[in-house]
Amino acid sequence: MLDRQHAAQGPRMAESVLRVAVPSPLHRLFDYLPPRNAGGALAPGMRVQIPFGRGRSIGILVEVAQSTDIDPARLKPVQAVLDAAPILPEDILAMARWASDYYHHSLGEVLAGCLPVMLRRGQPLQPQGETVWRLTAAGCAAGPADFGRAVQQGRALQLLAAYPDGLTRVELTAAQIGAHILRALVGRGWVEAHLRTAAPRFSTGPDGAAAPRLNAAQADAVAAIQAAQGRYQAFLLDGVTGSGKTEVYLRAIAACVAQGKQALVVVPEIGLTPQLVGRFEERLGQTPVLLHSGLSEGERLNAWLAARAGDAAVIIGTRSAAWVPLARPGLFIVDEEHDPSLKQQEGFRYSARDLLVWRAHRDAAPIVLGSATPALESLHNARQGRYRHLSLPERAGAACAPRLRLLDIRNQTLDEGLAPALLAEMRGHLERDGQVLLFINRRGFAPTLLCHACGWVAECRRCDAHLTLHQRRQQLRCHHCGGQQRIPLQCPQCGCADLRPLGAGTERVEQALARQFPGISSVRIDRDSTRRKGRLEDLLAQAASGAARILLGTQMLAKGHHFPGVTLVGILEADQGLFSADFRAGERLAQQVIQVAGRAGRAERPGEVLIQTHHPQHPLLQQLVQAGYPAFAAAALAEREAAGLPPFSNLALLRAEATDARAPDQFLSDARDAVDAGLCAGLEFWGPVPSPMERRAGRFRGQLLLVARERRRLHRLLADWVPRLGALKTARKVRWSLDVDPIDLF
Ligand code: ADP
Ligand code: ZN
Ligand code: ZN
């Protein structure tokens, strides 16, 4: 809480009105009076505790105003001011205001979402410690004579002597040292509890260890980024897989840190691997501060505070790290900038990439967006001159580009999804000591279960979707709502016992591998096999070291990893994306194929890629294999332009869902009718229509799409329209949300 004795004595604010952003969906600020005993100065960015509705809430003060639209006599005073100084700096507040306007989401929710949970709940701005036990000076001096027959105590002392930084309760318990032993040792004055906070100190680090000599393209990129230090410039670092993009980031970061400034790197969730962190650590001579969903609330708070205080020189995080305050922002990097996970898909739907571009501009710092398969939006921005295009056209070091081939599997007899020609290639590569990576974007044993007698297929009762068969756990599971049930012994429709798995997922391919390649070690990497903490790291280590010869997995395995021994990549199923209703499906497929293919031949030995397909003549696949991603992207951009789709138009999607099948359509129709006709020029409305998966988790879903050539017109309409939607009578019967720049239309 605020230490009032030390807070500066500010002007009396009795006449002022405090505008507070409260975490509520309402699109407005709430006015309050200053607290009765206001001592300190009040400034935007401080947390205040306020009466709200029937309870109370914690909001952020965003403005101290002199007037209000409400009768001042009806205003309530703030209950408490929680901070002595703003906890959010000016740039983050400004970004929140901009994001609230751009995404048409309530400022209170935007601001609450950008704080670590502990601060949202009102805890003070103090690092959280972890209690560890360590030896006192007397404990260090104690010898066998002192503890005599207390063997356990002796063992504990010995153990703690080996860990001068202390051990946590969990670590001690794991070493079979119980609470009673600890108590005894504390009682004798040999051991003490200590609050350990891992506080980083800003360090410019020693010179990069064992840095490779940059090639010409890398050197040009680094020079361009360095020349932009201290001002805004966005770069699209468009470099083929293995071209040394990470190397470029590392140089740019080192230069930024040497100037005493901080660098923030945002990566997709599954890209934040120990391998990446290790590489940063080794090369920058310091441990980056991490911000990701695997942290405890205390760890997250500490990392946030270290970034805000300027103690952390390098911060690596996932999407929400875009919001972390920096004392001295110097460089922003977004790796795999095309990745859909950079867009939040629920609640406040923002793009971390787009936010960071705005932030870099505001902070007058360069930003680098890196990818081997840039989003069409980013390529378009580069063509328009908004981003500077830096390209790394070749692989770094001795590696050369992998060779892609389509494998026609029409009329082939597949063994659990593996074609004979692929199996033969695998044998060849394994015999020559290569590693093989197989990619299939479906976990579980089979996408569904089929009755051979009557054609019944297992479907989720709550979704318009098949149930996935999970053989090992003997379950049918829905990958959309999480529902699960036992595998039926007979068909619920005809009673026949001949139920067969249809299609193949990772579990099933794993079985085939064990049969086809007995004695050859393999790892399977998907969400199911990596649920246990530390398991993913284990499996990735086996893959990287070469201990596992065959690597099988979903996209968890496909992105960003560097497996130098992989010489053959097999893509088992490329056809799903070819005929999807979503206009982005082609782009996603192309990105996925190129990213997976990029795992092959990353060291001296050349790589080969085989793509199994039933549509070997399909223009998209042909183009990708023959001309590569840039040619695909150029053609796709031309198509988008002709069709008036993004990036040549701007979209906003209004979604609604309800247990009542008719409610979404009623709400969306009312919403459409509520549009101010005067603002419709240059806009098209598509819908309302049922969502592609109409029923999900027992709720019916519908959507209304807005398309506008000019962003300005779209936002003018949304600003007028969205705040009024909540007041529609039919809004009460649905859950609705607005998605600006939606990346999928589900
Ligand atoms: P990307 O991020 O583009 O996939 P990386 O930066 O991971 O590429 O580089 C791929 C591999 O090439 C890494 O093992 C890296 O150490 C190596 N590498 C990068 N740049 C060079 C260079 N200039 N000379 C030699 N090896 C390099
Ligand atoms: Zn049947
Ligand atoms: Zn379901």
Side-chain angles (χ1 to χ4, degrees):
M1 279 292 157
L2 172 59
D3 182 354
R4 284 178 199 285
Q5 250 121 50
H6 295 292
Q9 207 63 38
R12 299 292 305 169
M13 293 282 184
E15 299 309 314
S16 19
V17 173
L18 308 185
R19 300 247 146 90
V20 179
V22 184
S24 124
L26 294 173
H27 286 247
R28 45 170 288 219
L29 299 176
F30 294 84
D31 290 355
Y32 289 87
L33 295 172
R36 296 219 165 80
N37 56 350
L42 293 165
M46 292 179 173
R47 290 173 298 164
V48 290
Q49 185 183 303
I50 42 165
F52 190 73
R54 265 183 242 147
R56 54 190 195 181
S57 182
I58 290 173
I60 304 272
L61 175 60
V62 294
E63 196 187 334
V64 181
Q66 299 310 323
S67 64
T68 170
D69 298 339
I70 298 170
D71 174 7
R74 289 182 50 213
L75 290 185
K76 292 181 186 157
V78 154
Q79 288 167 336
V81 179
L82 303 185
D83 301 301
I87 62 168
L88 287 171
E90 193 37 52
D91 64 334
I92 300 292
L93 284 174
M95 182 160 79
R97 272 193 294 264
W98 174 78
S100 164
D101 286 346
Y102 184 84
Y103 293 106
H104 302 273
H105 198 86
S106 108
L107 181 59
E109 288 191 345
V110 171
L111 283 169
C114 79
L115 290 176
V117 172
M118 297 183 104
L119 295 181
R120 215 180 297 166
R121 293 203 197 116
Q123 300 221 21
L125 216 56
Q126 273 163 12
Q128 294 295 301
E130 188 181 28
T131 304
V132 293
W133 275 266
R134 62 182 188 188
L135 293 185
T136 59
C140 291
D146 295 308
F147 53 80
R149 283 170 50 221
V151 186
Q152 294 283 40
Q153 293 184 20
R155 202 169 61 80
L157 286 183
Q158 229 170 20
L159 181 72
L160 286 170
Y163 293 91
D165 289 338
L167 290 171
T168 62
R169 194 52 156 276
V170 174
E171 289 163 339
L172 286 165
T173 310
Q176 263 127 49
I177 292 168
H180 61 288
I181 302 170
L182 218 49
R183 261 198 311 275
L185 290 170
V186 172
R188 299 180 79 164
W190 288 344
V191 167
E192 62 183 3
H194 167 73
L195 204 63
R196 180 170 68 186
T197 56
R201 280 223 311 274
F202 191 93
S203 131
T204 51
D207 285 347
R213 249 179 81 97
L214 297 183
N215 61 36
Q218 284 174 312
D220 286 350
V222 170
I225 298 165
Q226 230 141 294
Q229 255 182 29
R231 65 182 167 88
Y232 166 74
Q233 171 72 56
F235 297 96
L236 176 61
L237 181 62
D238 179 359
V240 300
T241 54
S243 58
K245 293 184 291 297
T246 312
E247 200 53 51
V248 171
Y249 304 153
L250 288 167
R251 301 284 174 129
I253 292 169
C256 160
V257 171
Q259 302 266 319
K261 294 195 173 167
Q262 296 170 282
L264 172 63
V265 184
V266 170
V267 302
E269 190 78 42
I270 54 181
L272 189 45
T273 58
Q275 206 181 10
L276 180 79
V277 177
R279 195 163 157 200
F280 270 65
E281 215 159 49
E282 197 176 302
R283 290 290 312 286
L284 297 170
Q286 61 183 299
T287 312
V289 162
L290 304 183
L291 272 169
H292 57 82
S293 60
L295 299 182
S296 69
E297 285 171 14
E299 289 169 325
R300 177 168 276 274
L301 176 63
N302 291 355
W304 193 89
L305 290 172
R308 178 179 176 274
D311 296 334
V314 183
I315 298 101
I316 310 184
T318 50
R319 191 173 57 220
S320 64
W323 290 99
V324 74
L326 300 174
R328 298 181 305 281
L331 174 66
F332 297 95
I333 291 173
V334 180
D335 191 26
E336 310 289 1
E337 63 85 32
H338 66 281
D339 198 283
S341 78
L342 292 171
K343 171 100 193 237
Q344 174 131 315
Q345 306 272 30
E346 54 193 34
F348 169 36
R349 295 162 166 83
Y350 65 89
S351 152
R353 175 193 63 205
D354 298 351
L355 277 186
L356 283 171
V357 171
W358 190 94
R359 184 172 178 186
H361 191 267
R362 158 93 200 191
D363 289 345
I367 177 165
V368 182
L369 311 178
S371 176
T373 52
L376 296 183
E377 278 79 1
S378 301
L379 284 170
H380 182 62
N381 278 326
R383 281 186 183 181
Q384 302 274 306
R386 278 191 288 270
Y387 300 166
R388 186 157 160 213
H389 201 153
L390 303 173
S391 66
L392 307 179
E394 273 159 27
R395 283 196 157 176
C400 56
R403 191 161 68 103
L404 273 65
R405 273 189 296 150
L406 296 175
L407 184 57
D408 184 355
I409 54 169
R410 285 173 298 181
N411 295 316
Q412 298 280 309
T413 311
L414 304 184
D415 183 4
E416 322 282 32
L418 300 166
L422 176 61
L423 288 167
E425 282 284 346
M426 289 174 69
R427 290 218 160 77
H429 279 262
L430 291 168
E431 272 161 22
R432 292 192 297 275
D433 250 6
Q435 270 174 299
V436 175
L437 185 150
L438 295 180
F439 171 76
I440 177 166
N441 211 10
R442 264 194 315 233
R443 63 198 171 87
F445 187 81
T448 194
L449 189 66
L450 169 83
C451 170
H452 194 54
C454 78
W456 169 88
V457 288
E459 277 172 353
C460 180
R461 267 179 248 117
R462 309 172 65 223
C463 307
D464 293 329
H466 295 310
L467 290 170
T468 303
L469 177 66
H470 286 255
Q471 188 99 303
R472 190 161 306 171
R473 301 202 171 246
Q474 287 291 300
Q475 275 176 341
L476 290 172
R477 282 199 210 158
C478 176
H479 287 183
H480 302 281
C481 71
Q484 41 188 264
Q485 59 193 71
R486 292 198 62 77
I487 300 173
L489 296 173
Q490 40 179 233
C491 173
Q493 189 165 284
C494 74
C496 164
D498 191 0
L499 297 177
R500 300 182 180 184
L502 191 65
T506 46
E507 267 187 36
R508 191 168 193 178
V509 176
E510 186 180 36
Q511 249 182 30
L513 292 177
R515 186 158 30 70
Q516 290 276 358
F517 302 96
I520 292 189
S521 58
S522 67
V523 288
R524 181 185 113 219
I525 297 187
D526 57 29
R527 279 236 303 279
D528 300 314
S529 70
T530 56
R531 248 174 248 280
R532 223 172 347 112
K533 204 175 154 89
R535 188 78 184 131
L536 175 62
E537 288 75 15
D538 267 10
L539 294 176
L540 286 175
Q542 288 177 44
S545 73
R549 314 290 311 142
I550 304 178
L551 326 177
L552 163 69
T554 56
Q555 50 178 339
M556 287 184 101
L557 184 61
K559 284 193 198 158
H561 303 299
H562 186 59
F563 304 127
V566 170
T567 56
L568 175 67
V569 164
I571 298 177
L572 301 192
E573 168 70 80
D575 295 347
Q576 271 177 321
L578 292 177
F579 305 100
S580 162
D582 193 325
F583 73 88
R584 278 187 230 269
E587 179 185 354
R588 294 266 175 277
L589 174 65
Q591 289 166 340
Q592 203 159 59
V593 166
I594 297 296
Q595 293 287 346
V596 180
R599 300 315 111 205
R602 290 175 64 95
E604 294 75 34
R605 283 181 288 176
E608 272 196 274
V609 181
L610 281 180
I611 305 166
Q612 296 193 153
T613 176
H614 281 101
H615 304 275
Q617 301 308 326
H618 196 286
L620 189 157
L621 292 178
Q622 283 290 337
Q623 194 166 41
L624 214 49
V625 167
Q626 282 165 16
Y629 188 79
F632 156 80
L637 274 170
E639 270 174 37
R640 296 269 186 95
E641 184 162 22
L645 288 168
F648 301 92
S649 63
N650 302 281
L651 306 184
L653 187 66
L654 182 65
R655 297 186 178 91
E657 56 171 61
T659 45
D660 172 2
R662 284 161 315 165
D665 186 66
Q666 283 164 351
F667 165 73
L668 293 169
S669 301
D670 285 356
R672 196 180 161 161
D673 292 341
V675 168
D676 179 344
L679 297 175
C680 281
L683 262 77
E684 282 177 51
F685 293 79
W686 297 2
V689 291
S691 303
M693 183 187 290
E694 187 177 5
R695 212 165 43 99
R696 182 168 176 167
R699 305 174 75 87
F700 292 85
R701 307 169 338 130
Q703 58 190 34
L704 173 61
L705 183 67
L706 280 67
V707 187
R709 287 266 167 180
E710 284 178 55
R711 173 163 287 156
R712 201 170 40 89
R713 286 178 193 265
L714 176 65
H715 283 274
R716 212 164 45 200
L717 179 126
L718 293 176
D720 167 71
W721 186 52
V722 178
R724 292 189 285 115
L725 293 177
L728 295 175
K729 228 162 68 198
T730 42
R732 267 180 267 145
K733 296 198 185 134
V734 299
R735 264 195 230 150
W736 64 272
S737 63
L738 183 80
D739 193 348
V740 174
D741 303 334
I743 55 162
D744 71 48
L745 301 184
F746 274 80

